[in-house]
Amino acid sequence: MIGLVALNGTGRLLADEIHAAWPGTTRVHTAVASACFGPPEALEYALGRDDLVVCLAPVATTVRLLIDGSHLRPGGPGLVSLDLNLRYAVPLTGRDSGADELAEELAGLLGVRAVLTSNPPPATDPPFAHLAGHASTSTRGPRGSAAVRALAEGRPVRLESDLAHPLPALPPSARPDAPADTPVLRVTDRTHPDEDVLLVHPRTLVVGVGAGGGATDSELMRLITDTLAEHGLARASVARLATVAGKADHPEVRWAAFCLGGVPVDEHPAAALAAVAVPNPSDRVGAAVGTASVAEAAALASAPGGELVATKRKSAAATVAIARAAVRGRLAVVGLGPGAHDLLVPRALAELRRASAVVGAPGAVEAVAELLRPGTRRIATDDGAGAAGAAVDAAVDLAAHGHAVALVALGDGAALNVPPGAYDVHRVPGLPLHPLAPALPAHPQGDPA
């Protein structure tokens, strides 16, 4: 049994959320400052009765409680400190206590970072730090951990993908043609709980929500957690919440956004939601708020071209539905200027580092080769007549299949004209290829001598 020690109201809400996700294996211990069961007593009580303990407080607070009265026994339960800002899960006991594994499970559930102090520093950051903001990673089983180590050491890992997504370049040793017996890295927005793999979760999901005035503490977040679990969807893949206008500041909606890592909340006018076709409209809801659907319609409105992957689910005073956004590629058209690295505009460098593939004439691709992330595909099209058109065609094809592409050319890049398509275009003009020489100062009329 895992004891969840809540020291205050915010901790209790987070403890309730974890308990909702792991109902059969957790129980909550709440400190009551005005009684004889304050924070030190609550932690001591859990340490004496549970196999593993999570203290919902910063490391410094947890350590101070241990000094104030609680104690850790040799061979006793594993203890993890989980900060309320959902940044870190820090094991405070040795690897044999199970605390490291619990911290990693909390990381998978909540999207926090597991700081494994009893082992050498994890190799997760070097291969994946650049994915922050685009995707999250989690491991499943020993082969998932083996995949992280293999990527850090440059050994082969088999790349599998449930869906296309315009992620930055993955480590170069992750390849679809890697041997079948190598560890697996899978790009997916699903949890795959029974598989022994390393998961990369792109942010593809939109959670539509509705919350009434009678919603109780953390009711909406529990419903979101249950709905994600029921459909095998990864919490880390939630990109945003969506609701009807006027509900973004509802306490339950704000708490859910916080628990999901501070995701943005989209608001849609009731009239706009009323125009969205949904499978489960409600006349009662329509009469109350002006649209027959809030959760399903809002999820679809914030995922243009997408589809519902979880239809409406209700609790006493909350509703949830989940949509997967349609995949759109990313095509950055980048002018490289004369070609010298110090003459690149800053945004051009950012786009080159953001891309998983760089396309252009041989000279342009070669000019930026040293600036690219390891694993970035370099595609040099034929030089000569029609070279610009060949580069555009190759870049558009990749972007249309959901990749993040940088189409590069020396000079300002103005000659690169791309057609519209299933991708978002970002233009980054460069300096002219041959900047004009500065004019010589004019002499006064007559002989300068």
Side-chain angles (χ1 to χ4, degrees):
M1 183 63 67
I2 301 171
L4 307 173
V5 180
L7 308 184
N8 53 34
T10 303
R12 179 56 194 257
L13 290 173
L14 184 53
D16 287 344
E17 181 195 343
I18 298 171
H19 179 65
W22 299 339
T25 57
T26 58
R27 56 187 172 191
V28 178
H29 309 290
T30 304
V32 182
S34 59
C36 296
F37 196 70
E41 291 80 16
L43 181 56
E44 175 67 10
Y45 183 85
L47 289 171
R49 286 162 178 78
D50 296 316
D51 304 311
L52 294 164
V53 176
V54 179
C55 185
L56 302 167
V59 170
T61 300
T62 305
V63 171
R64 186 170 64 249
L65 293 177
L66 294 172
I67 295 172
D68 288 346
S70 301
H71 61 276
L72 297 174
R73 304 179 307 278
L79 175 62
V80 174
S81 176
L82 176 64
D83 78 290
L84 297 180
N85 290 321
L86 294 176
R87 295 172 299 177
Y88 306 110
V90 183
L92 299 180
T93 51
R95 73 181 71 181
D96 294 335
S97 68
D100 283 4
E101 291 80 3
L102 176 57
E104 290 182 321
E105 289 295 324
L106 289 167
L109 175 67
L110 302 173
V112 301
R113 178 181 177 185
V115 182
L116 306 184
T117 55
S118 64
N119 289 324
T124 305
D125 276 354
F128 298 118
H130 65 291
L131 295 182
H134 309 292
S136 299
T137 62
S138 64
T139 57
R140 289 287 181 268
R143 284 178 61 81
S145 300
V148 175
R149 292 192 297 271
L151 290 171
E153 297 167 5
R155 292 184 284 111
V157 169
R158 191 167 78 255
L159 175 62
E160 300 179 355
S161 181
D162 293 353
L163 45 83
H165 197 76
L167 293 174
L170 294 173
S173 61
R175 307 192 313 269
D177 60 350
D181 59 348
T182 57
V184 173
L185 182 157
R186 176 169 294 133
V187 180
T188 179
D189 58 11
R190 296 192 170 275
T191 53
H192 296 279
D194 299 326
E195 297 194 40
D196 198 359
V197 296
L198 168 64
L199 300 176
V200 173
H201 296 302
R203 305 196 189 286
T204 59
L205 304 178
V206 177
V207 179
V209 298
T216 59
D217 286 348
S218 71
E219 177 180 347
L220 176 60
M221 190 59 217
R222 285 199 302 270
L223 186 60
I224 292 173
T225 299
D226 291 346
T227 305
L228 288 167
E230 178 183 344
H231 292 273
L233 299 169
R235 174 194 180 113
S237 286
V238 175
R240 60 204 320 108
L241 300 182
T243 189
V244 68
K247 286 294 186 178
D249 283 333
H250 189 289
E252 283 290 290
V253 176
R254 293 173 60 189
W255 175 249
F258 172 79
C259 289
L260 292 168
V263 298
V265 182
D266 296 340
E267 288 188 301
H268 300 280
L273 296 184
V276 178
V278 296
N280 299 295
S282 166
D283 293 337
R284 181 180 61 82
V285 173
V289 299
T291 172
S293 172
V294 172
E296 290 180 338
L300 289 170
S302 286
E307 61 177 355
L308 286 175
V309 291
T311 55
K312 180 173 67 177
R313 178 169 174 168
K314 299 193 302 181
S315 64
T319 57
V320 164
I322 303 173
R324 178 182 290 119
V327 175
R328 290 183 62 83
R330 193 175 197 279
L331 179 54
V333 182
V334 181
L336 303 178
H341 293 173
D342 59 349
L343 294 179
L344 276 177
V345 299
R347 187 177 164 194
L349 179 59
E351 290 293 348
L352 293 171
R353 304 282 286 173
R354 170 70 176 82
S356 63
V358 171
V359 182
V365 174
E366 183 62 28
V368 297
E370 296 179 0
L371 303 177
L372 305 179
R373 293 191 183 280
T376 304
R377 295 172 61 188
R378 289 180 281 175
I379 302 172
T381 56
D382 291 338
D383 215 344
V392 168
D393 291 345
V396 163
D397 183 63
L398 285 170
H401 285 84
H403 296 282
V405 185
L407 173 61
V408 298
L410 296 172
D412 59 12
L416 297 175
N417 297 311
V418 299
Y423 42 80
D424 299 317
V425 178
H426 304 264
R427 281 198 168 271
V428 185
L431 295 174
L433 184 59
H434 301 293
L436 294 175
L440 295 175
H443 290 293
Q445 288 184 353
D447 190 339

